[in-house]
C-alpha cells in the first residue's frame, strides 16, 4: 500500500514514518519543513520520498498512485492560533478539505484525519464521548471541528474517511516538541530543576504516547471496518485521563529532587476535559498503552540527556512550535502567511 503522510517531518510523523516503512508500506511525505532544523536527535534518515511543499499548494498530480492518506500537517496546537487565527483556518481547515476532495478525485481509498480531543474544551460535567456537545475554545479546536464536519460529507464506500479525535500526545520523538503538557513538564524539570505547572494543576487531559498513537494510525490503515467510515472516534485509553497535578508524582519518580512550582500563568486557559474511549476499545480491543506515562517519562529523560538537551534550547524555544515560526518570520525566512520566501 502506498501511503501519503502529510506533516511527515513533524513530531508524530517522525515516529510514524519509520514504523510504516518497517511494516512494508511505501511512504511519500509532504511537509513544508518548518521545523526541519530543529531535530533533537539525528537518527538514521528514513529512506522514502519526501516532497517539500506547502499543503495549500498540493496538486492532484501529487496524489497519483496513493492508496491512503494520513493527514497530519497542521498548525498544531491551541496557542498557534495566536499568530493569526485566519492562517489556522486556512491551513488546518480549508487545505484539509481541499486535500480530501483532490484525494477523492484521484481515487485514493482512505483518508485518516488527525483531529483532537481539544475540541471538547471545558467538560465540566464529567466525562465526554463522541456524542457529547463539543466546545471548541481556540482557533485550532474550531479548525478541527469544521474539518471533521466537512470531511464526514465526503465519505463514501470508495473513499473511507476516519476522523481520529486524538488525546494529547507525549513521548520522545526525533522531532521533539516541548509545547505539549507532559513533554513540557519533563523539560522544565530537566532545564530548571523545577516542574513548572502553568495552571493550578486541576485541568484534566487525556494523554497518549506518540508510539502508541502511531501504531493506532497503522491499525486504521489496515482496518476494513466500514461502520467507522465518516464517523468521529476518540483515540486514547480510559486509564490515561490525568489531572495535570498527577503528572508531578510520575516525573518525580525519576527526578526526585525537582521542586514543584505553580505559576498560574495559564489561568486564562480554562480547558479541562476527561474523555471516554469505549468506542475505540470496542473496535480495537487488542490496543493497549504500550508506553504508559511512567515508562515514557523515563524514556524522555534518558533521550533528552543523551541528546545533550540544553537549558538554553528550552529558553530559546527551539522545540516550541510557536516560537520557531515566529523566529522564521522575524528572520524573514517565511512571510506573514507562512510561505517560504
Ligand atoms: N501533538 C498532539 O498532542 C496532537 C494531539 C491531537 C492531534 N494532533 C494533530 O496531529 C497532527 C500532527 O501533530 P504534531 O504534533 O506532529 O505537529 P507538528 O507541528 O510537530 O507537525 C506538523 C507538521 O506539519 C507541517 N506543516 C505545518 N503547516 C504546513 C503547511 N502549511 N504545509 C505543509 N506542511 C505543514 C510542519 O512543518 C510539521 O512538520 C496535527 O494535525 C495535530 O493537530 C496532535
Amino acid at each position: 500500500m502506498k501511503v501519503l503522510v502529510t506533516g511527515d517531518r513533524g513530531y508524530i510523523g517522525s515516529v510514524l514514518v519509520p514504523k510504516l516503512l518497517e511494516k512494508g508500506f511505501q511512504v511519500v511525505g509532504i511537509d513544508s519543513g518548518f521545523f526541519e532544523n530543529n531535530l533533537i536527535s539525528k537518527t538514521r534518515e528514513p529512506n522514502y520520498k519526501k516532497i517539500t511543499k506547502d499543503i495549500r499548494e498540493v496538486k492532484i498530480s501529487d496524489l497519483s498512485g496513493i492508496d491512503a492518506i494520513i493527514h497530519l500537517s497542521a498548525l498544531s496546537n491551541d496557542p498557534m492560533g495566536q499568530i493569526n487565527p485566519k492562517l489556522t483556518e486556512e491551513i488546518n481547515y480549508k487545505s484539509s478539505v481541499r486535500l480530501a476532495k483532490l484525494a477523492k478525485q484521484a481515487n485514493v481509498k482512505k483518508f485518516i484525519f488527525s483531529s483532537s480531543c481539544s475540541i471538547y474544551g471545558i467538560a465540566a460535567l464529567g466525562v465526554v464521548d463522541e456524542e457529547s456537545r463539543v466546545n471548541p475554545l481556540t482557533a485550532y479546536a474550531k479548525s478541527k471541528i469544521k474539518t471533521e464536519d466537512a470531511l464526514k460529507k465526503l465519505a463514501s464506500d470508495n473513499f473511507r474517511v476516519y476522523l481520529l479525535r486524538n488525546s494529547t500526545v507525549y513521548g520522545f520523538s526525533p522531532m521533539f516538541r516541548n509545547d505539549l503538557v507532559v513533554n513540557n513538564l519533563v523539560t522544565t524539570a530537566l532545564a530548571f530543576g523545577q516542574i513548572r505547572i502553568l495552571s493550578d494543576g486541576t485541568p484534566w487531559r487525556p494523554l497518549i504516547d506518540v508510539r502508541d498513537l502511531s501504531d493506532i494510525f497503522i491499525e486504521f490503515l489496515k482496518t476494513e471496518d466500514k461502520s467507522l467510515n465518516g464517523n468521529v472516534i476518540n483515540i486514547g485509553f480510559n486509564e490515561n485521563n490525568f489531572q495535570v497535578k498527577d503528572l508531578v508524582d510520575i516525573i518525580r519518580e525519576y527526578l526526585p529532587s525537582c521542586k514543584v512550582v505553580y505559576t498560574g500563568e495559564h489561568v486564562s486557559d480554562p480547558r479541562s476535559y476527561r474523555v471516554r474511549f469505549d468506542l475505540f476499545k470496542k473496535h480495537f480491543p487488542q490496543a493497549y498503552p504500550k508506553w504508559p506515562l511512567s515508562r515514557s517519562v523515563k524514556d524522555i529523560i534518558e533521550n533528552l540527556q543523551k541528546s545533550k538537551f540544553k537549558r538554553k534550547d528550552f529558553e530559546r524555544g527551539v522545540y516550541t512550535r510557536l516560537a520557531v515560526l515566529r523566529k522564521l518570520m522575524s528572520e524573514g525566512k517565511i512571510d506573514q502567511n507562512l510561505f517560504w520566501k
Side-chain angles (χ1 to χ4, degrees):
M1 193 193 271
K2 194 167 179 181
V3 184
L4 169 66
V5 180
T6 70
D8 59 301
R9 276 150 268 173
Y11 169 67
I12 298 172
S14 300
V15 172
L16 171 64
V17 168
K19 278 181 179 277
L20 286 168
L21 294 169
E22 203 180 283
K23 290 196 183 306
F25 291 94
Q26 278 186 66
V27 180
V28 178
I30 294 185
D31 196 302
S32 52
F34 287 141
F35 309 111
E36 272 190 303
N37 289 329
N38 302 75
L39 273 178
I40 196 163
S41 72
K42 304 259 180 287
T43 45
R44 202 159 48 83
E45 273 282 286
N47 187 14
Y48 65 102
K49 182 176 171 190
K50 289 182 188 169
I51 301 171
T52 300
K53 186 177 248 201
D54 197 288
I55 199 69
R56 290 166 286 184
E57 296 183 329
V58 166
K59 298 198 177 73
I60 195 160
S61 54
D62 294 316
L63 309 179
S64 116
I66 300 290
D67 299 300
I69 297 179
I70 300 180
H71 180 41
L72 302 177
S73 69
L75 294 182
S76 161
N77 75 10
D78 293 283
M80 296 278 275
Q82 286 168 17
I83 288 189
N84 175 351
K86 270 206 165 125
L87 282 175
T88 295
E89 157 117 354
E90 209 179 272
I91 294 172
N92 293 11
Y93 162 58
K94 289 190 181 148
S95 65
S96 298
V97 179
R98 183 175 162 273
L99 174 70
K101 286 183 175 163
L102 288 176
K104 197 170 174 176
Q105 273 178 51
N107 278 327
V108 175
K109 295 282 167 287
K110 241 183 211 187
F111 192 91
I112 303 172
F113 175 58
S114 190
S115 186
S116 167
C117 283
S118 179
I119 58 147
Y120 292 118
I122 311 174
L125 298 175
V127 191
V128 287
D129 66 15
E130 292 83 354
E131 305 300 320
S132 305
R133 202 172 60 85
V134 296
N135 188 4
L137 298 175
T138 58
Y140 171 74
K142 285 175 190 152
S143 77
K144 292 290 183 190
I145 194 76
K146 279 175 82 169
T147 309
E148 285 181 5
D149 288 344
L151 294 182
K152 273 178 200 168
K153 297 184 189 130
L154 295 175
S156 71
D157 283 349
N158 296 324
F159 186 67
R160 303 246 177 101
V161 174
Y162 296 95
L163 305 165
L164 278 56
R165 261 183 207 165
N166 298 320
S167 299
T168 299
V169 188
Y170 60 82
F172 191 74
S173 155
M175 188 53 91
F176 187 71
R177 315 176 39 172
N178 67 359
D179 48 6
L180 300 165
V181 63
V182 174
N183 296 358
N184 183 270
L185 297 181
V186 175
T187 39
T188 56
L190 277 175
F192 305 104
Q194 287 183 350
I195 301 174
R196 293 185 176 172
I197 300 199
L198 307 181
S199 62
D200 64 357
T202 56
W204 285 91
R205 287 285 185 284
L207 300 169
I208 191 165
D209 181 87
V210 63
R211 287 149 287 204
D212 287 332
L213 179 60
S214 298
D215 289 342
I216 292 167
F217 275 117
I218 295 174
E219 288 306 312
F220 274 87
L221 277 181
K222 295 195 286 195
T223 187
E224 295 292 329
D225 192 333
K226 291 183 188 157
S227 69
L228 293 174
N229 186 13
N231 290 321
V232 161
I233 181 165
N234 293 330
I235 301 296
F237 304 101
N238 288 338
E239 63 271 34
N240 257 17
N241 281 291
F242 288 93
Q243 273 185 299
V244 175
K245 63 184 181 199
D246 299 335
L247 306 175
V248 169
D249 293 337
I250 296 173
I251 296 170
R252 283 178 107 185
E253 261 179 59
Y254 304 105
L255 299 170
S257 57
C258 276
K259 298 205 168 56
V260 184
V261 181
Y262 287 89
T263 71
E265 64 198 78
H266 274 193
V267 279
S268 59
D269 178 358
R271 289 177 308 131
S272 179
Y273 41 95
R274 287 172 78 181
V275 178
R276 194 172 282 131
F277 298 99
D278 295 353
L279 182 66
F280 172 61
K281 185 87 197 147
K282 182 172 150 222
H283 287 269
F284 297 90
Q286 75 286 6
Y288 70 98
K290 296 184 212 86
W291 287 89
L293 253 180
S294 179
R295 179 178 182 209
S296 186
V297 163
K298 181 168 182 278
D299 178 72
I300 297 172
I301 295 169
E302 287 170 0
N303 271 297
L304 288 180
Q305 285 170 338
K306 226 183 340 182
S307 327
K308 308 212 172 11
F309 167 80
K310 292 180 218 62
R311 175 177 172 158
K312 78 171 187 314
D313 293 336
F314 180 84
E315 288 169 333
R316 280 168 32 214
V318 171
Y319 307 113
T320 304
R321 295 293 177 253
L322 189 57
V324 173
L325 289 180
R326 287 211 161 118
K327 184 161 181 281
L328 289 172
M329 275 179 172
S330 73
E331 290 170 350
K333 294 188 175 149
I334 54 176
D335 68 18
Q336 55 186 1
N337 292 316
L338 305 186
F339 283 107
W340 289 105
K341 285 193 187 167

